[in-house]
Amino acid sequence: MFEFIRKHQRLMQILLALLIVPSFVLVGVSGYQDRGGAADGVATVDGKKITQQEWENAQRRQIEQARQMMGAQFDQKLFDTPEAKQAILDNLVAERAINAEVARTNLTVSDSVLIKAISDIQQFRKPDGSFDKEGYYAALAAQGMTEPQFNARMRHDMAVQQLVGSIQQTAFAPRTVSNRLSDINDQEREVQELVFPAANFTAQVKVTDDMLKAYYDKNAALFQVPETVKAEYVVFNADAVEKQVTVSDAEIADAYNKNKARFLTPEKRNASHILINAKADAKPAEDAAAKARAQAILDELRKNPADFAKVAKAQSQDPGSAELGGDLGTIEKGVFVKPVEDAIYGLKEGEMSGLVRSEFGYHIIKVTKVTPAVQKTLEEAKPEIAAELKKTKMSSKYSELAETFSNTVYEQADSLKPVADKLGLTIETADGLTRTPNPALGSSPVNNEKFLKAIFSNDALTNKRNTEAVEVAPSTLVAGRVVSFKPASKRPFEEVKGLIVQRVTQEEATRLARQAGEAKLAAARASGDAAGFGDVKVVSRTRQPTINETAALAVLKADTSKLPAYVGVELPGQGYGVYRIVKVSQPAQPDTARRQQEAAQIASAVGGGETYGFVEALKHKAKAKINVKPADLGVKQEQ
């Protein structure tokens, strides 16, 4: 991988986010000067406040997104730092500044471009490539958004992409810079190797009892056996609740009858259009010219309706649909501006409209297909309704039973049997629990930091009482009870003596190998002699190392202003290596495709810098001001 990108992975991740994330997250480094009071909100942008609640909501959203992305590796402590909170506040300020500029410049996105963007979202596509309407509505429902809300959000985000993307796309890096960096990346170094294996010095090692005892005492932690607990435990989760929840046919029928409209698949319409641009505030002469052109096209189409797609491709000024013969795809209500939507839903299949004026200009619309509305029957909707009613009941029942679980393990703390009997739970056993999670136990509910803290509490260990109900995952509670406890101990010397002999022997052999290697390195540097070194090998950043990877890194970092150059490296687990660098050159045939990719990556990095500067300028233009004091974030102030 390209060395520059490898060393700036965090930068590249931020730049990538700028290019592909709809809601722009721009981590800035805002100063704390010129701050107002708490009454001004935590920040002010373009004369509008960012409230404490908005900031906290943004933090919660960030945490939830990270939880979903990282899964078991999620650690909330990463988001509880002053730096994380400051970054989220900076993100909000940057986003508001960009929004203000979008509003000032009246950036917008046409209906056809919006429709195409939504239809191109892979999440909403079926395996055959068609639009997945049910998946689309399900995704919106999961986010708590209506279709008009989603469309407005998409339209806004695409306008923001136009604004910020224009800066990113116009950035470039001088060819001399990219060539120089690629030359460094391509550089080849011819090197000779002389390895002093530690194994060759093993016979010289004399291990004494004093050496073994000293190692045993110095490395006591290596031979420590941690304290362990054998525990009983019970798990209360959604499975336990589900056993106690049922849904009747009468409840399902009642829910269906009250929400019939929800199970109605509305009428679908496919339409095409031809647009002649004319702004809403166009001068009369410009408007008249656009209308006359549109009327001429309409007159032509009335003579030859079958030529609609051909004429749209040649005449329409809507770039999003013209190349598709004017095709707008499947039309949903609430997506297009009112005059256009009314015209589409006022035509029969195959009919063509007259001129329709919208804020974008004059449209000629043709409905190409009408799919009638379909009402799901009760039997068809039954599985979906049953699942939803059960989920709702379980949510309510969970709170009730969770309280019962917590109270029972606390009030009858001498045994887990009462709570198991009351809620139909199974008492399980886990042995060898330690104070910290054990990777071998994986996602076991008892392999949780909070539970382990509870089971190793003084009350649980000394009095053998139930732990409190501990939430180890969303909607999952665990309570435990200590069955037996083994205190920490140190493995006896005689038990580990054999292992210590091996380690001391290895350490001493490695030390002798290093001494011999360093002596050879000093002699070679003094004389330039190549005696003892092996055949020449080529080392490069773009190829798999032909020598030990640790040695390859050292060779590539070595000063080669004077050749031959020498470098000595301790090779982990092997011994010591001495390397003689005899030539530095460029490859005879550079990888042109890779160098082009590298140039693009460098340009992207430059674009990221310019985008950051642009956003900072927008923040200044919007008079952005952070009103939170450093102490509120836990940030140490500079002296």
Side-chain angles (χ1 to χ4, degrees), residues 348-378:
K348 296 178 182 179
E349 184 173 321
E351 283 188 341
M352 185 170 63
S353 73
L355 297 186
V356 178
R357 182 67 161 97
S358 78
E359 61 188 276
F360 301 104
Y362 288 93
H363 304 255
I364 303 168
I365 299 165
K366 182 177 182 179
V367 172
T368 55
K369 183 179 179 183
V370 176
T371 304
V374 178
Q375 176 72 53
K376 276 188 180 180
T377 65
L378 173 60

Side-chain angles (χ1 to χ4, degrees), residues 473-494:
S475 301
T476 303
L477 301 176
V478 177
R481 181 173 173 274
V482 174
V483 176
S484 60
F485 170 71
K486 291 182 181 179
S489 61
K490 188 177 180 181
R491 295 174 67 184
F493 174 76
E494 290 302 324

Side-chain angles (χ1 to χ4, degrees), residues 100-164:
E101 185 67 11
V102 168
R104 272 193 292 269
T105 54
N106 295 314
L107 283 177
T108 188
V109 174
S110 69
D111 289 338
S112 58
V113 172
L114 176 64
I115 291 293
K116 188 175 187 306
I118 294 174
S119 65
D120 286 344
I121 296 176
Q122 193 61 39
Q123 181 185 354
F124 303 149
R125 309 295 291 182
K126 294 180 180 178
D128 63 2
S130 62
F131 188 72
D132 183 0
K133 181 181 176 183
E134 291 186 359
Y136 171 62
Y137 284 120
L140 298 193
Q143 298 180 51
M145 298 179 72
T146 65
E147 188 175 9
Q149 287 173 333
F150 178 74
N151 292 338
R153 175 69 177 272
M154 277 286 293
R155 198 186 297 272
H156 170 265
D157 288 344
M158 291 172 71
V160 170
Q161 180 68 59
Q162 287 181 26
L163 178 66
V164 180

Side-chain angles (χ1 to χ4, degrees), residues 46-288:
D46 201 37
K48 298 179 179 64
K49 298 177 185 177
I50 296 176
T51 67
Q52 178 77 26
Q53 183 176 359
E54 288 173 322
W55 184 22
E56 291 172 355
N57 288 343
Q59 293 176 50
R60 281 192 287 270
R61 287 195 301 271
Q62 187 80 17
I63 290 171
E64 189 54 37
Q65 289 172 4
R67 191 194 307 276
Q68 293 175 7
M69 291 174 61
M70 300 171 68
Q73 282 71 46
F74 174 76
D75 183 359
Q76 185 162 333
K77 291 194 291 290
L78 296 175
F79 297 89
D80 291 334
T81 65
E83 293 79 12
K85 293 177 181 179
Q86 179 184 339
I88 291 171
L89 181 55
D90 282 334
N91 293 345
L92 281 175
V93 170
E95 185 177 353
R96 294 291 177 85
I98 293 172
N99 290 345
E101 185 67 11
V102 168
R104 272 193 292 269
T105 54
N106 295 314
L107 283 177
T108 188
V109 174
S110 69
D111 289 338
S112 58
V113 172
L114 176 64
I115 291 293
K116 188 175 187 306
I118 294 174
S119 65
D120 286 344
I121 296 176
Q122 193 61 39
Q123 181 185 354
F124 303 149
R125 309 295 291 182
K126 294 180 180 178
D128 63 2
S130 62
F131 188 72
D132 183 0
K133 181 181 176 183
E134 291 186 359
Y136 171 62
Y137 284 120
L140 298 193
Q143 298 180 51
M145 298 179 72
T146 65
E147 188 175 9
Q149 287 173 333
F150 178 74
N151 292 338
R153 175 69 177 272
M154 277 286 293
R155 198 186 297 272
H156 170 265
D157 288 344
M158 291 172 71
V160 170
Q161 180 68 59
Q162 287 181 26
L163 178 66
V164 180
S166 63
I167 304 299
Q168 175 77 29
Q169 292 164 7
T170 56
F172 73 95
R175 187 176 301 174
T176 53
V177 173
S178 59
N179 285 344
R180 176 58 179 152
L181 290 174
S182 290
D183 285 346
I184 293 172
N185 195 45
D186 281 344
Q187 188 184 87
E188 295 177 346
R189 297 190 171 193
E190 295 183 10
V191 61
Q192 294 173 282
E193 179 182 44
L194 176 56
V195 176
F196 293 82
N200 292 355
F201 297 85
T202 301
Q204 301 177 33
V205 175
K206 305 299 180 184
V207 178
T208 66
D209 287 342
D210 288 341
M211 293 168 66
L212 299 179
K213 282 285 188 180
Y215 187 93
Y216 179 73
D217 293 338
K218 183 179 179 180
N219 298 279
L222 294 176
F223 312 109
Q224 191 78 13
V225 178
E227 55 189 344
T228 59
V229 156
K230 180 179 181 180
E232 295 178 337
Y233 67 96
V234 286
V235 179
F236 174 76
N237 55 20
D239 293 338
V241 179
E242 187 174 11
K243 297 174 185 176
Q244 303 191 35
V245 172
T246 58
V247 177
S248 68
D249 287 343
E251 289 175 310
I252 295 172
D254 183 58
Y256 175 80
N257 291 327
K258 289 179 178 177
N259 298 278
K260 269 190 174 182
R262 183 182 150 209
F263 302 102
L264 173 68
T265 301
E267 176 185 276
K268 296 180 183 177
R269 288 179 172 246
N270 287 66
S272 298
H273 85 146
I274 295 170
L275 172 66
I276 300 302
N277 291 331
K279 294 181 180 178
D281 58 353
K283 295 178 180 179
E286 293 174 348
D287 185 80

